[in-house]
Amino acid sequence: MSANNARDWQLLTLSGNSDLELKTATENLLAYLKQEPEINLEEVAYALQQGKSALKHRRMVVCQDAPDAIAAFKDPKRLLTSIQNQEPPVAFMFPGLGTQYVNMAGELYQVEPRFRQEIDYCCEFLKEILNQDLRDVIYPDRSAPPKGQVSLEPSPGLDLRQMLGRSTTPAEPKKSSSLLNQTHLAQPAMFVIEYALAQLLISWGIRPQVMIGYSIGEYVAATIAGVLSLEEGLTLIATRGQMIQKLPQGAMLAVPLPQRKIAALLNAKLSLSAVNGATMAVVAGDVEAIETLEKQLTNKGLACRRLETTHAFHSYMMNGIASELRELVTTFDLRAPKIPYISNVTGNWISKEEATHPEYWVKHLCQPVLFAPGIKKLYQQSYPILLELGPGQTLGSFALQCIESNPAVSQIILPSLRYVYDHKSDLAFLLKTLGRLWLAGVTINWTEFYNQEHPPQIPFPACIQ
């Protein structure tokens, strides 16, 4: 598939003033598709958006061609329907390290020009800093379909063996995978992917009212909010990663305990690194100290989990580069955030004084990520749709355990990119999320989405105009 190919998957949307009207529109569309099985489905999808506003009763499917569309509308697992009353706010959530993989969003890089444009600009800018083209690490074979997606046929589901770490057929080239696990490359790689995803969705009309980032994800939020320019954000995240790479190696341990019980476990070689939920925390520090703690807690029957990492992020082991990072940040023209976002350091809305002070970014490096109190604070303000921009659904799973539902508001938490062990098409995965946003009442800029200045030349019947 070349970078200029049209999308192999389409999002079909229908709406009506009533359930009966929606049902009639669906029947009319299906009848038309049966008569025109060879029609260009993108033209049909585009035509469905022209000439009228989205109405209260809505439904959508993601499909590949007319016969697949007919099948999708008859499949309750693929056909999604909703009734919406008002447009909800959207919150962007940017994850940290841990779920990155080679060819993440690879299909989007091939078929979405805006996404590819952002990736290319960022990677060209980073060449001088990294002395390497980051695209060679993320997309080692950019001319071929991403590994695990040679075909865009409907996915058979999750690769459970790979999800459990037992796959005999790795999803990515070993050399590139090892490079992407090195923090000086992993950090800018995740930044670039998340930033490009955000810009793609913003171009489609999906603008965040609020944001939260996890660890390096806060750098993306700060850049989207205008605290950092894109070039400053790229410079900061790449240089920060290089600084950390030179530090002594450390380890991190996920512990199923509340924050108040973690304090008794800490010492000069162990720090609280993150608070992810009411009974979910991460401890980081010296490798031997972490091994000792793991044995101690396991013997007590606690199910701890070592994180795949080379360094003890957000711990005392970051202090060695504090002054160097502070000096770097003083060279930037930090500005007040234009979009509100949550601080990892305080678990509260970031202030202008914090965002624009170099000392804040040192604290962000060395102090724990207070995600749990932060996501609670964010959600309670306006009960937004939580949209995770990055591979996997880690933040979504954390948020689900942290936030309290409001009976008057639908709780919606959506991913944007698949996990590495999920063999779905990247495009189909994102289109389903786009469709679910539309079902919830979010306004989509369809003109930008289809990148068409003129409607299709083929005359369509009234049922799909």
Side-chain angles (χ1 to χ4, degrees):
M1 184 192 306
S2 72
N4 296 318
N5 278 58
R7 298 179 178 118
D8 287 302
W9 291 85
Q10 301 299 327
L11 172 62
L12 299 186
T13 60
L14 288 170
S15 67
N17 285 308
S18 66
D19 184 61
L20 178 60
E21 189 175 306
L22 180 61
K23 181 180 179 181
T24 300
T26 303
E27 292 173 348
N28 290 342
L29 175 60
L30 291 176
Y32 178 77
L33 293 176
K34 289 177 182 177
Q35 295 174 5
E36 304 287 345
E38 301 299 322
I39 194 168
N40 183 329
L41 200 63
E42 184 171 18
E43 292 187 334
V44 175
Y46 181 80
L48 289 171
Q49 305 303 330
Q50 306 310 303
K52 66 175 184 179
S53 301
L55 303 174
K56 182 176 180 179
H57 294 257
R58 304 182 180 191
R59 65 179 29 161
M60 53 78 66
V61 296
V62 176
C63 47
Q64 292 183 290
D65 52 28
D68 187 42
I70 294 171
F73 272 105
K74 296 178 179 179
D75 185 348
K77 293 182 180 180
R78 298 176 66 184
L79 176 63
L80 300 180
T81 303
S82 76
I83 302 176
Q84 68 85 31
N85 295 309
Q86 58 185 3
E87 182 165 1
V90 176
F92 281 4
M93 301 192 300
F94 299 103
L97 297 183
T99 55
Q100 72 273 11
Y101 56 90
V102 170
N103 285 325
M104 53 184 167
E107 189 184 344
L108 301 183
Y109 182 79
Q110 292 177 322
V111 303
E112 295 297 336
R114 179 58 184 269
F115 183 79
R116 186 172 60 254
Q117 173 188 333
E118 298 292 347
I119 295 286
D120 287 346
Y121 178 86
C122 291
C123 291
E124 287 291 337
F125 180 85
L126 287 169
K127 274 184 178 180
E128 186 175 346
I129 300 173
L130 299 176
N131 196 29
Q132 186 166 6
D133 190 334
L134 200 54
R135 288 167 293 190
D136 294 336
V137 178
I138 307 173
Y139 306 125
D141 187 0
R142 296 194 288 279
S143 63
K147 296 290 184 181
Q149 292 178 224
V150 176
S151 169
L152 295 183
E153 293 300 313
S155 167
L158 301 177
D159 183 340
L160 294 179
R161 290 186 61 82
Q162 189 175 347
M163 181 174 67
L164 297 172
R166 301 170 184 171
S167 175
T168 56
T169 55
E172 62 264 352
K174 185 175 181 180
K175 180 179 178 180
S176 297
S177 178
S178 63
L179 288 175
L180 200 53
N181 287 333
Q182 295 181 22
T183 192
H184 75 289
L185 296 175
Q187 291 192 32
M190 284 290 279
F191 180 102
V192 168
I193 292 293
E194 292 174 14
Y195 178 84
L197 265 175
Q199 292 302 328
L200 177 65
L201 289 170
I202 289 171
S203 75
W204 292 348
I206 304 164
R207 296 183 175 275
Q209 279 70 51
V210 292
M211 298 182 290
I212 185 171
Y214 189 103
S215 187
I216 63 169
E218 186 170 328
Y219 287 77
V220 186
T223 303
I224 298 296
V227 174
L228 298 157
S229 69
L230 174 56
E231 293 74 17
E232 289 171 338
L234 290 168
T235 301
L236 180 54
I237 199 68
T239 308
R240 177 184 186 271
Q242 291 173 332
M243 293 176 184
I244 293 175
Q245 188 74 27
K246 298 175 183 178
L247 290 172
Q249 292 198 348
M252 303 179 74
L253 183 70
V255 179
L257 289 172
Q259 182 180 356
R260 68 179 186 277
K261 291 189 177 182
I262 296 293
L265 305 175
L266 305 179
N267 54 46
K269 294 187 176 182
L270 293 173
S271 298
L272 174 66
S273 176
V275 180
N276 297 331
T279 57
M280 295 187 298
V282 178
V283 177
D286 174 79
V287 175
E288 291 185 3
I290 287 290
E291 290 175 349
T292 300
L293 178 63
E294 183 177 18
K295 291 177 183 178
Q296 174 188 340
L297 297 179
T298 301
N299 290 337
K300 292 182 178 181
L302 293 175
C304 302
R305 180 173 60 88
R306 285 283 291 275
L307 304 186
E308 293 186 14
T309 180
T310 56
H311 292 80
F313 300 113
H314 300 281
S315 77
Y316 75 93
M317 294 190 75
M318 298 291 105
N319 291 339
I321 60 170
S323 60
E324 191 177 357
L325 183 71
R326 184 185 297 107
E327 184 177 349
L328 173 63
V329 177
T330 58
T331 66
F332 298 146
D333 180 23
L334 302 177
R335 296 162 294 277
K338 297 178 181 178
I339 302 174
Y341 68 90
I342 294 290
S343 159
N344 283 175
V345 176
T346 65
N348 207 334
W349 298 106
I350 195 160
S351 67
K352 173 186 175 181
E353 291 71 26
E354 289 168 330
T356 58
H357 200 296
E359 195 61 35
Y360 172 82
W361 296 98
V362 174
K363 291 179 180 179
H364 184 277
L365 171 74
C366 303
Q367 294 185 13
V369 175
L370 302 181
F371 180 79
I375 194 66
K376 287 180 181 179
K377 176 69 68 172
L378 178 147
Y379 194 70
Q380 289 169 355
Q381 174 167 299
S382 55
Y383 301 99
I385 293 174
L386 300 178
L387 179 58
E388 185 165 355
L389 298 189
Q393 302 175 46
T394 300
L395 296 191
S397 65
F398 289 165
L400 193 59
Q401 299 178 57
C402 294
I403 59 179
E404 296 180 3
S405 60
N406 182 340
V409 181
S410 297
Q411 187 181 87
I412 302 176
I413 304 175
L414 299 174
S416 59
L417 293 181
R418 63 183 178 86
Y419 279 114
V420 64
Y421 48 74
D422 187 344
H423 289 177
K424 293 184 180 72
S425 153
D426 292 324
L427 179 59
F429 194 96
L430 183 59
L431 290 185
K432 183 177 181 180
T433 291
L434 183 67
R436 291 180 66 185
L437 288 166
W438 178 80
L439 286 178
V442 176
T443 300
I444 310 299
N445 185 334
W446 296 111
T447 300
E448 288 297 322
F449 176 75
Y450 288 109
N451 195 27
Q452 294 192 30
E453 297 181 358
H454 306 287
Q457 299 301 308
I458 300 175
F460 290 104
C463 71
I464 67 167
Q465 287 185 340

